[in-house]
């Protein structure tokens, strides 16, 4: 069955922008796994030469990547909490994991759920415009 895009024209979010936000969210679990598996100790240059003890480039790059992963994860989680309150986990399951409404067991009606989902994308679009 072909999935339909969420209509967000009244929120001034184009179909392409919606898809960009959706696919950003679909990477949520992947980012959490990458972040969890990336905490390793990098090598240090302990030669006594100037710059000794400084982190090497790969460790620095990994640290910067981890910071970005943390920001992305936090952005999705905080936006879901802001849009949905106690329903945040249901929004994350639906948007990030592509679990249909009928299977997530949300304690609200479908219309209310999709209104919250629209609000989530509206807030996410506003927050990501600043990145």
């Amino acid at each position: 069955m072909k999935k339909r895009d969420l209509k967000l024209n009244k929120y001034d979010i184009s179909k392409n922008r919606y898809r960009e936000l959706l696919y950003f969210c679909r990477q949520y679990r992947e980012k959490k796994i990458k972040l969890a598996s990336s905490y390793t100790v990098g090598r240090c240059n302990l030669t006594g030469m100037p710059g000794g003890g400084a982190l090497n480039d790969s460790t620095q790059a990994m640290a910067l990547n981890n910071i970005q992963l943390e920001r992305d994860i936090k952005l999705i989680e905080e936006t879901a909490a802001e849009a949905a309150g106690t329903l945040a986990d249901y929004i994350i399951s639906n948007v990030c994991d592509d679990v249909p409404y009928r299977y997530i067991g949300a304690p609200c009606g479908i219309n209310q759920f999709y209104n919250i989902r629209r609000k989530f994308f509206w807030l996410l679009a506003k927050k990501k415009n600043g990145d």
Side-chain angles (χ1 to χ4, degrees), residues 13-86:
I13 299 173
S14 70
K15 180 170 98 171
N16 290 330
R17 178 67 171 156
Y18 162 71
R19 287 182 179 176
E20 176 189 345
L21 296 168
L22 178 64
Y23 292 125
F24 171 77
C25 291
R26 294 278 164 89
Q27 297 172 56
Y28 174 76
R29 299 286 178 210
E30 184 180 320
K31 289 177 185 213
K32 287 191 83 153
I33 290 168
K34 279 183 183 178
L35 183 62
S37 67
S38 70
Y39 286 108
T40 59
V41 177
R43 296 181 185 162
C44 292
N45 176 8
L46 299 174
T47 63
M49 300 297 289
L55 295 176
N56 68 20
D57 288 341
S58 65
T59 304
Q60 182 180 14
M62 185 173 56
L64 292 173
N65 186 55
N66 287 352
I67 290 169
Q68 188 60 51
L69 290 170
E70 287 173 349
R71 284 182 185 155
D72 291 350
I73 291 165
K74 185 177 177 182
L75 176 64
I76 292 169
E77 291 173 348
E78 287 181 350
T79 304
E82 186 178 342
T86 59

